[in-house]
Amino acid sequence: MSVKRSTRLDFIREIINEDNRTGKHGGRVHTRFPPEPNGYLHIGHAKSICLNFGIAEEYGGLCNLRFDDTNPVKEEQEYIDAIKEDVHWLGFDWGDREYYASDYFEQLYQWAVQLVKKGKAYVCDLTPEQVREYRGTLTEPGRESPYRNRSVEENLELLEGMRAGRFPDGSRTLRAKIDMAHPNLNMRDPVMYRILHACHPRTGDRWCIYPTYDFAHGQCDSIERITHSICTLEFENHRPLYDWFLDQLGIFHPQQIEFARLNLTYTVLSKRKLLRLVEEGHVRGWDDPRMPTLRGMRRRGYTPQAIRNFCERIGVAKFNSTVDIDLLEHCLREDLNRRAPRVMAVLRPLRVVIDNYPEGGVEQMEAINNPEDPGAGTRKVPFSRVLYIERDDFREEPPKRFYRLAPGREVRLRYAYFVTCREVVKDEETGEVVELRCTYDPATRGGAAPDGRKVKATLHWVSAAHALEAEVRLYDHLFTEPYPEDVGEGGFTDCLNPRSLEVIPRCWVEPSLAPAQPLEIYQFERLGYFCVDPDSTCQKLVFNRTVTLKDRWAKIEKAGKANV
RNA sequence: UGGGGAAUGGUGUAAUGGCAGCACGACUGACUCUGGAUCAGUUAGUCUAGGUUCGAAUCCUAGUUCCCCAGCCA
């Protein structure tokens, strides 16, 4: 089976098509997503997940979820659970194929024994420091360990002793006997097993020796009959070693294909750096909406579909690139535009009194829930004499290209009436505008003028007496620099964006939002998409701004073109 | 002065000896009861130098730049 897509094939799918054409695996396609359970998944992992699960799906194959749990010192059950949850959230399913490298510990050990018997592995007593010294450098060959030529019998006995817990951590290792002068450092007698008296989240303390990733990964793929083992570029140097193990053992040989990991502007995507952000308190946790973790993005309001679309659009290649975060946000808006119900909310309220509107009068105005989806229907929004509009929507001295409200100017209140600003009320001491006195034209009910006259702007609003109070959290990029990793001196924390979070404690939202539930996403008209935060209570809704709408006026103003 | 990879508009990615295309961004304009959405248009690229060829992003030679590797991490 070969796959044609609307977009051109990437080099990985090309390889698979070719393998299928030549019958390399009998047309079988079997991939796997192999996370280490030592942290939370982020957008970079999403790229790999979409690739592996996506390819399996396209070729009618399978994709396993396999935890690379070979280092009990760093791994935890909590991460295993979180990873499963996140992969499911993205919309992928591994059926009953949930595997663990630790499932194969006994087999791996037997293979190690086999290599010892073949004279291809030995127990080495060098300390970690000595191993480093003996390894040589990039340009100079290493030296052979004095323990390299122990007899098979002695090696077997020592290996058993290691497994039986007779030696302290770090005192010995099992090493492959390859070539200490090899130009590829990974081939200079790499460690296969190390002694670690640690409790493993799955195997408890059944083991006190653990295989290294290098000795485990290729064989795990082999056991699962993975046809295409897709991984990131840094493992390219390891491929000869995996091949060596597979060949020595004479077992099924998956094909490893390496691609470039994702980088995104204005963010960092390494587990170590994300951990620092959390530990040093630069963010509120792994699910902080500013984090590029899947949990953070979920809380922020990202949809699985938006992320999957993004992963498809960025493509796959071997070039080390950095994707513009604008593309991610574009995919987000594209998806949210289709699905998010519209609603009116005023973030920075300015009080407006409609002088000629009856005192105590209330009307229910009909509003469209989603112009992109006629099936979403309509709702009623209460209108009354005292309203709030956005402070940004009024200028006492409007620049040329400012279309919104100004003294003497008429605008439309969405789904309601045309109103004209008659008077500006200011605080006598500060001079701050505190209220606008307006009049409305009763003939424009619903927002259209029977005489056909036009207004240049439509403003969103809420009725003061009916609005619900809400807290809104505005987010911006976590870093001020597009390449935070490249800033000098102290590194990426030097360019943390001090304005990455702005909390507006008292905003007003229309009453239809009363039953809103955590993680629901709305478009606040003219402002952006907002997601209900789990911090919400029945007293007070809390919203996260997922992403703004494209804002032409902001662009004009920022470019200094407001008056031209 | 080792080995393994990679270089196409600002960004990401196609073209596999035959018109350098698509998307994001930026910039125009049209439309609009969201300055949203939508639509139309403009902008801008083959790392360098030679060579092969009727024809080169693609093949060859030399160079340049960038990434990865000296964990008992993955």
Side-chain angles (χ1 to χ4, degrees):
Chain A
M1 178 175 180
S2 83
V3 161
K4 295 257 183 315
R5 315 168 91 210
S6 50
T7 54
R8 305 274 196 220
L9 288 186
D10 55 70
F11 79 102
I12 297 179
R13 278 174 252 249
E14 252 171 43
I15 290 171
I16 296 175
N17 276 358
E18 181 63 11
D19 288 346
N20 286 349
R21 195 183 63 77
T22 60
K24 183 169 178 183
H25 298 287
R28 201 168 59 85
V29 175
H30 201 149
T31 57
R32 98 270 94 111
F33 172 61
E36 185 194 11
N38 70 341
Y40 295 95
L41 262 27
H42 55 65
I43 181 77
H45 294 108
K47 177 179 181 182
S48 172
I49 293 167
C50 291
L51 236 195
N52 279 294
F53 280 94
I55 282 174
E57 215 169 274
E58 288 164 35
Y59 287 88
L62 296 169
C63 179
N64 297 352
L65 175 63
R66 182 178 68 240
F67 291 95
D68 264 323
D69 55 349
T70 54
N71 185 1
V73 176
K74 293 186 177 173
E75 295 150 8
E76 290 172 30
Q77 183 63 39
E78 186 196 338
Y79 295 127
I80 294 176
D81 297 336
I83 287 168
K84 284 159 63 176
E85 187 178 78
D86 287 345
V87 175
H88 268 148
W89 175 73
L90 265 186
F92 295 104
D93 189 65
W94 53 92
D96 59 357
R97 295 177 317 285
E98 177 176 323
Y99 301 126
Y100 296 81
S102 56
D103 293 342
Y104 313 131
F105 279 175
E106 186 58 40
Q107 172 66 265
L108 257 8
Y109 180 81
Q110 292 309 326
W111 276 330
V113 169
Q114 198 178 316
L115 290 181
V116 170
K117 286 180 176 164
K118 269 183 84 173
K120 298 292 184 182
Y122 63 97
V123 172
C124 178
D125 301 358
L126 255 26
T127 65
E129 296 71 39
Q130 290 171 319
V131 169
R132 195 185 320 127
E133 283 166 30
Y134 275 76
R135 186 155 29 225
T137 70
L138 294 178
T139 49
E140 300 155 20
R143 283 141 50 213
E144 297 189 347
S145 162
Y147 306 98
R148 199 173 197 256
N149 294 310
R150 292 217 249 230
S151 69
V152 169
E153 293 67 34
E154 193 187 356
N155 279 322
L156 248 20
E157 199 183 311
L158 286 169
L159 213 210
E160 260 170 54
M162 283 168 62
R163 176 176 184 169
R166 285 200 275 276
F167 312 118
D169 285 4
S171 59
R172 290 180 219 264
T173 56
L174 181 71
R175 294 226 258 162
K177 192 193 278 191
I178 307 180
D179 178 3
M180 287 308 290
H182 200 108
N184 180 341
L185 267 51
N186 295 123
M187 301 297 269
R188 317 242 263 229
D189 289 12
V191 172
M192 296 162 58
Y193 270 93
R194 66 292 209 193
I195 301 172
L196 241 38
H197 291 265
C199 184
H200 185 282
R202 292 186 59 84
T203 60
D205 29 57
R206 278 209 290 287
W207 293 89
C208 60
I209 57 171
Y210 291 91
T212 58
Y213 177 84
D214 279 347
F215 185 64
H217 196 86
Q219 290 95 295
C220 291
D221 282 343
S222 179
I223 290 169
E224 295 177 19
R225 317 279 305 168
I226 298 302
T227 56
H228 302 273
S229 175
I230 300 167
C231 64
T232 44
L233 253 26
E234 66 269 29
F235 294 106
E236 215 156 13
N237 294 330
H238 296 243
R239 180 153 35 94
L241 176 57
Y242 302 159
D243 290 346
W244 187 88
F245 284 130
L246 263 14
D247 291 343
Q248 292 298 324
L249 261 12
I251 57 179
F252 176 77
H253 204 133
Q255 177 182 2
Q256 175 167 300
I257 306 171
E258 306 87 3
F259 70 96
R261 59 155 30 108
L262 172 70
N263 296 291
L264 257 189
T265 55
Y266 297 100
T267 81
V268 295
L269 284 182
S270 86
K271 279 184 187 173
R272 213 197 84 246
K273 292 184 175 117
L274 294 176
L275 178 67
R276 247 188 93 187
L277 292 176
V278 173
E279 283 184 339
E280 294 176 10
H282 302 299
V283 295
R284 295 177 175 184
W286 287 100
D287 68 342
D288 186 299
R290 291 168 291 183
M291 290 284 274
T293 51
L294 295 182
R295 314 174 88 63
M297 295 173 78
R298 175 159 69 230
R299 187 168 178 184
R300 173 84 169 250
Y302 274 82
T303 57
Q305 195 58 57
I307 294 173
R308 290 173 63 157
N309 290 348
F310 171 74
C311 289
E312 199 165 302
R313 292 221 205 169
I314 56 177
V316 193
K318 297 193 72 153
F319 179 61
N320 232 314
S321 61
T322 302
V323 177
D324 195 330
I325 198 162
D326 282 342
L327 180 59
L328 214 210
E329 298 193 340
H330 167 81
C331 292
L332 217 209
R333 289 189 182 101
E334 185 180 53
D335 188 47
L336 260 20
N337 177 47
R338 264 176 278 160
R339 63 194 341 144
R342 317 285 134 125
V343 105
M344 289 195 285
V346 174
L347 268 35
R348 296 181 165 90
L350 173 60
R351 191 177 144 96
V352 170
V353 178
I354 313 291
D355 280 322
N356 59 340
Y357 195 84
E359 200 102 35
V362 179
E363 285 178 275
Q364 298 295 331
M365 314 309 288
E366 185 169 57
I368 294 164
N369 286 330
N370 185 349
E372 305 294 321
D373 173 16
T378 60
R379 69 185 185 286
K380 300 291 189 189
V381 184
F383 181 89
S384 65
R385 197 174 120 95
V386 182
L387 312 167
Y388 292 120
I389 64 166
E390 210 68 57
R391 292 200 89 91
D392 282 352
D393 284 340
F394 172 79
R395 284 289 181 85
E396 194 170 13
E397 288 168 35
K400 246 193 196 119
R401 294 171 75 174
F402 183 88
Y403 302 150
R404 285 110 93 143
L405 200 58
R409 190 182 282 181
E410 183 174 53
V411 297
R412 176 190 294 111
L413 293 181
R414 181 138 230 227
Y415 300 125
Y417 293 101
F418 284 14
V419 296
T420 304
C421 177
R422 302 295 177 187
E423 193 187 331
V424 180
V425 184
K426 295 181 182 174
D427 181 296
E428 278 183 15
E429 281 176 17
T430 65
E432 186 198 9
V433 176
V434 293
E435 181 181 290
L436 265 23
R437 312 296 296 203
C438 297
T439 57
Y440 83 117
D441 176 357
T444 57
R445 187 175 200 281
D451 63 1
R453 79 180 187 277
K454 302 277 186 200
V455 286
K456 290 206 85 169
T458 301
L459 311 187
H460 60 276
W461 52 273
V462 294
S463 164
H466 303 86
L468 271 26
E469 197 179 314
E471 173 180 320
V472 174
R473 299 171 182 169
L474 306 180
Y475 299 103
D476 194 0
H477 301 145
L478 240 189
F479 298 95
T480 55
E481 296 295 322
Y483 302 94
E485 266 141 339
D486 295 350
V487 305
E489 301 293 299
F492 68 105
T493 51
D494 277 3
C495 60
L496 276 158
N497 180 3
R499 282 185 285 278
S500 62
L501 167 65
E502 181 187 358
V503 178
I504 311 182
R506 293 191 70 209
C507 304
W508 298 103
V509 302
E510 65 170 64
S512 73
L513 245 14
Q517 293 300 306
L519 299 186
E520 283 179 359
I521 303 163
Y522 296 88
Q523 184 195 101
F524 289 179
E525 292 222 24
R526 305 208 303 134
L527 296 175
Y529 298 95
F530 293 75
C531 181
V532 182
D533 191 87
D535 286 350
S536 297
T537 63
C538 21
Q539 273 75 45
K540 192 176 196 179
L541 285 165
V542 178
F543 289 93
N544 296 312
R545 184 175 68 195
T546 308
V547 66
T548 60
L549 250 21
K550 281 208 233 153
D551 187 344
R552 240 175 111 82
W553 166 244
K555 201 178 274 183
I556 290 167
E557 210 180 17
K558 196 178 164 198
K561 296 190 206 157
N563 264 315
V564 300

